[in-house]
Amino acid sequence: MKNIIIISFLSLFIQVQSFSQRPTGVLPKAGAGNMNMGRYYGKLVDANKKGIDGATLQIKGNKFDTVSKKMIERILGTQLSAANGDFSFENLPVMGSLKLTITNIGFTKLEKTLNFNIKMTPGQNMQELLAAVDKDLGNIKLEESANDLQSVTVTSTARPQFEMGIDRKIFNVDKNIMSTGQTAVEVMKSIPNLNVDIDGNVTLRNATPTLLIDNRPTTLTMDQIPADIIDRVEIITNPSAKYDASGGNAGILNIVLKKNKKNGYNGGIRAGVDMRGKFNGGGDLNVRDNKLNFSVSANINGRKSVNTNTTVRDILGATMPTQVTTINNSTGNGSFNFYRAGLDYLPDNRNTFSLYGNLMQGNMGSSGSQSIDSVKAGVHTQAPYQLTNSNYFDFLNKGAQLSFKHLFAEKGHEITSDFNYNESNSNSWSNINSSFLNQKSNGVGNSKNYTTNLDYAREITDDIKFEAGMRYNFRDEYNSRDQFRNDVFLGSISNKYKYGESIMAEYVNLSGKKGQLSYQLGLRAESRTFTVDVQNHAGMDSLHFKTSLPISLFPSAFVTYKLNDKNDLQINYSKRINAPNFFQLQPFPDYSDPLNITVGNPGLKPQFTHSIELNYNNAYKKGSNLLASVYYKYSTDLITNYIYRAINPTTNDSAYYSSYINANTAVTYGLELSNKTTITKWWDMNLSFNLFNSSIQATIPGQNVNNNLTSWFSKMNNTFKFPKGYSFQFSGQYQAKTILPPGGGSSSGGGRGGMGGGMGGGGFGGPQSTAQGYNFAYYDFDMAIKKDWTLSGGRTASLSLSVSDVFKTRVNKTYSESQFFIQNVTRIRDQQFFRLNFSYRFGKFDLNLLKRKNNKTEDGGAMDQMQQ
């Protein structure tokens, strides 16, 4: 069966086409009554650009007359301009021509012919459609002279479907059945080219990406973000100069949350339960009345996880062959609650003030048994050594965002500003008990992150766009860990640690189009300072050092050539930095797990990565898209793990420590193929394949490492739509033998991470990333079935049943080696896991709500964005 799976993956070469979210239901057919979703708005001004109050505006269009059986011209709306000259016509038909007439005493009558020119195609991107039927006519100047003006035709053309953005791939995930009632970790399993391991750590091209939420840094981790509030996921493999240069060798994973701006009120509730009796639920409500939009949502998620870990360590250099086997069985219980609320104030057509806040609270506890068996020369040295272990972790994350956006009358001319605040507090403890030793560790952690942005954009001409901005980010982190042995406090191995980082950045971007060629050129300048304070038990600084990196320049370039209407060719380049994070720098060992002692390295240097890609995009038929990418990444001073031996002061015996070091160089290159195709009207298939080579060269004390391995990764996702509202999803992935991903330095990495507070290695983490090992191959499959109901009054309901790791094949095996030992780890977690979820939505859906002219520009332009 394994061979069949591999052959099927290799033969199809795969991945999901990027397309934005489609709201509830499907797009109505042309001619349907609810096609009246168009909107025209603007502002009337005089020769001095002062708003004209009280002008009469009338818009006419053709309607079918049931008596004469002919199309006749009818008045669709009449209104007076506001005191500042603003006007807005909504609920307009999007098909055919409209005529706008403007009259006012003392001004010449003005007539405009308006056309949306909608071109609907299968798989139409809903956000593009909403942007196309939401037209800003800009400042319309009324003349005081008696000269007649000729009629002007204003057209609005729907942008072509975006197979790939100029700097990103966009994936709609709100319809994914498998992730319903779960977290962002399960969402990532449905995204082509993303690899999710047994612990929920996410990698992109065998490296950990930086995690953003709504294009902003966060203290949340993936397993703390409910899947039900996620609108779409954006993969930015080569970020432009507009983004932080941090994040090193894996790019950016941007999670875009749902933002509901529908007139009136609407909302939904959802609930679910898993096979272990853990419940999840949530709800959301949105209320909009003219200039105010208020939204609130809440999600709860209970969890119970069962794990089995087996570690076999062969000691090297011993007088007799020695092997130590550790078996750890543990069960974790916890819950996570997420709350979010927001307010938008729209005083007029071109200004928006927004305030959003979120609160995340949760806890996770784990308990289990551990058996350690030592064998020398094939003989057991003693009966297996029995331990019991338990640990607990709780956290509180809170964040707020205040933003302002102003749209000038000219197309593509805008300025935005926002301030973001995120704070995370955590507490943890772990216990390891044996017949003669009680080992306890207590931890407290706090992290604060402040970010402020100012961004400006202007289309100089129809073919040239200029962007510039500045950003300041400050991060402050505190961590303390108290160690106890037999209830006796050990101050010598306890510690308190403070870390601060500030980044000031400025950037410029210039994008344009000439013929079939479009481009985006950018340059970012960053200055970075970080401080480290080590404190004694009394809280007094015992060690302080401050490092200021020189101003670094980070260029980026994207050049796209449109071969024809169906084929694009793009080449892009960027330079990135990966600075060491809080845990990689802290100099105190974590003794909470005596078999996996970890310690940071204050001497780490930042790593720099140069990335180049060549992309070919082919929309070879309706509903189908092929994307091929060749990529190359070269890193200097790559931050990675290594193992050394030293004395453990808690036992006065030698022990093995895992720490971080800068490798000399690291190179990754590969071929990535993605294909989204509609096989029949009821069957869509998304496939992806990534063939790559990774090599790491490092000088480790006592050893030179040159680890080189060619590997591949493949993924599939099938969606079947059946009559009477039934749908079925079947997905799977295969990961060949792979070098362990290098340790990511970004403090907002894409993996789960972020537990902080002295959590240590006791029960939550997997094997450390290292230049000295690899993952063995594995494969798994997930599936789900869903039933949808369409009720009266715009209400809908759905019921879904999902199962992950259907065939119990997800077994994580890793191999690592050093000059001291060879280690094999086997890990099994939550195999063949069932979940049942129900959701219900209410409120009338109105397509003319999601209005703001430049919503589309927040998500990155398409390859051919300058053609709009």
Side-chain angles (χ1 to χ4, degrees), residues 105-157:
I105 297 175
F107 293 91
T108 302
K109 178 180 179 181
L110 178 64
E111 292 185 346
K112 288 179 176 287
T113 301
L114 310 176
N115 289 281
F116 287 109
N117 285 351
I118 296 300
K119 298 177 181 179
M120 290 182 293
T121 60
Q124 177 73 44
N125 185 312
M126 181 57 71
Q127 288 202 352
E128 295 172 8
L129 178 60
L130 289 173
V133 301
D134 186 46
K135 178 67 177 179
D136 186 353
L137 299 178
N139 287 347
I140 299 178
K141 180 181 176 182
L142 298 186
E143 299 290 344
E144 298 182 5
S145 65
N147 295 333
D148 292 334
L149 295 178
Q150 295 181 347
S151 297
V152 180
T153 300
V154 181
T155 61
S156 175
T157 304

Side-chain angles (χ1 to χ4, degrees), residues 13-27:
F13 301 137
I14 328 155
Q15 173 191 10
V16 168
Q17 159 188 337
S18 58
F19 60 94
S20 302
Q21 174 190 6
R22 175 172 295 184
T24 304
V26 295
L27 187 66

Side-chain angles (χ1 to χ4, degrees), residues 716-732:
M716 72 170 181
N717 195 323
N718 297 274
T719 301
F720 304 90
K721 297 178 181 179
F722 301 116
K724 299 184 178 181
Y726 285 96
S727 56
F728 176 73
Q729 234 176 41
F730 181 71
S731 60

